[in-house]
Every structure is written in structure tokens, then in C-alpha cells.
Amino acid sequence: MKRVLFFLGQLNDIDVEWMIKNGSKIELKTGSKLIQKGQPIDNLYIVLSGQLVVCTDGADNETIATLGAGEIVGEMSFLESRSPSVSVIATQPTVAYVISRNVMDSRLSTNSDFRANFYYALALFLSNRLRKTTEQMGYGKPEEEDLIDMNVLDGVAQAGSRFGQILNRFSEV
């Protein structure tokens, strides 16, 4: 859940409301693929409820990570415009917020404040994910896992209510 707070904490209320109005929800059944390795994706997702696994989609189909409510999915392909190198599969019924790349690109190209905040938010999100991965590999300092930069903390306080807005809009509370 903390990761979506990093993300939403950097956006303002107008931007979050815009995202709510311009996105939708999707429901996945257990076993459904949200993302197929090697297949282009045109959306950005936020998991509202349920559980997904990130897997290699190879012969052994190794699980790389488990994702739950508050995780952002598809962000790497969104940034790089490259096909994903892994698959993402629902391991239980899952509901996700989805917004298309075309809709986001339109907003990003016409609103420089949103663009700056959005990319900064993604940078924080990805930095947090990389720290967690590094820690899981046995590097880094586990005791620092829950420390949040004081410059980011103010936005995180508001982010909880913003995530609540998204959940309420898509009836996931």
C-alpha cells in the first residue's frame, strides 16, 4: 500500500480527480493475465483489491513478486514504451484501476505541472521498489525500509485520502 502513497502523494487533488474521471476499473478472475510477457500494453494500472503475481512466464513460470492493493502495474512499459519482460497474473479475484496511455499522454502533453508531478511520483515509486528488491537480494539495510524522506512525508499524508477517493469511486471499500 505504501507505494501508491508515494505516487498519489506527489499529485494534487485536481490531478487525482482527473485520473478518477478518466480511468475505469477492470475485474480479473483468478488465473487471468493482466500483462502478457512480450505483448505491448497501453495502460497503467493501480491494484484496488485482490492479488497478482509477477512471473517469468517461461517453462518454470517463476514467481518474481506478489502484488496487492496499492501497487502500480505497467509503469515500466509506460515509461519506456517497451513490451514487458514479465507477465502479471491474478492469483485471486482482483480489481484494478486502469487508465490508457493515450489519455495520460494527452494530459501530460498539455499540463506541465501534472507532467512534472507525475514523473516525480513515478521516480519515487520506482526508487522504493528498487530499494525493496535490493534488500530482498541481501543488500541494503532492512531497518531503513519504512523510513520516508521528510520531503515526501507531507504528500503521503494526503495520499491516503486520495487512494480512498479512488476506492470509493470504484466501490472497493
Side-chain angles (χ1 to χ4, degrees), residues 104-143:
M104 286 295 291
D105 283 346
S106 176
R107 177 79 170 180
L108 291 166
S109 68
T110 60
N111 186 317
S112 60
D113 287 342
F114 177 71
R115 182 174 54 245
N117 292 338
F118 176 79
Y119 285 119
Y120 181 65
L122 273 183
L124 287 174
F125 173 82
L126 290 169
S127 174
N128 179 264
R129 182 176 280 168
L130 182 58
R131 284 184 190 277
K132 184 70 173 171
T133 301
T134 303
E135 175 191 317
Q136 289 173 341
M137 293 173 63
Y139 304 102
K141 299 178 182 176
E143 66 274 7

Side-chain angles (χ1 to χ4, degrees), residues 26-145:
I26 58 169
E27 297 181 22
L28 301 165
K29 295 178 182 177
T30 301
S32 297
K33 283 191 179 181
L34 178 65
I35 294 174
Q36 172 70 47
K37 177 181 177 179
Q39 298 298 312
I41 59 172
D42 293 319
N43 301 308
L44 188 64
Y45 305 93
I46 298 176
V47 180
L48 301 177
S49 66
Q51 183 175 301
L52 304 166
V53 292
V54 178
C55 57
T56 58
D57 206 20
D60 61 353
N61 207 26
E62 180 183 349
T63 295
I64 299 167
T66 301
L67 308 175
E71 291 286 346
I72 298 173
V73 183
E75 76 290 344
M76 290 171 59
S77 292
F78 184 88
L79 286 172
E80 299 177 311
S81 297
R82 291 175 48 189
S83 296
S85 57
V86 294
S87 290
V88 179
I89 303 170
T91 56
Q92 58 184 247
T94 299
V95 177
Y97 162 84
V98 59
I99 191 163
S100 77
R101 172 186 298 280
N102 290 338
V103 170
M104 286 295 291
D105 283 346
S106 176
R107 177 79 170 180
L108 291 166
S109 68
T110 60
N111 186 317
S112 60
D113 287 342
F114 177 71
R115 182 174 54 245
N117 292 338
F118 176 79
Y119 285 119
Y120 181 65
L122 273 183
L124 287 174
F125 173 82
L126 290 169
S127 174
N128 179 264
R129 182 176 280 168
L130 182 58
R131 284 184 190 277
K132 184 70 173 171
T133 301
T134 303
E135 175 191 317
Q136 289 173 341
M137 293 173 63
Y139 304 102
K141 299 178 182 176
E143 66 274 7
E144 292 181 1
E145 175 185 351

Side-chain angles (χ1 to χ4, degrees), residues 1 4 8 20 25 46-49 69-70 95 97 160-173:
M1 179 70 76
V4 79
L8 294 175
I20 291 170
K25 84 172 181 178
I46 298 176
V47 180
L48 301 177
S49 66
V95 177
Y97 162 84
S161 67
R162 291 177 181 146
F163 188 60
Q165 285 178 286
I166 294 171
L167 291 173
N168 284 332
R169 167 63 170 85
F170 297 108
S171 302
E172 291 304 311
V173 285

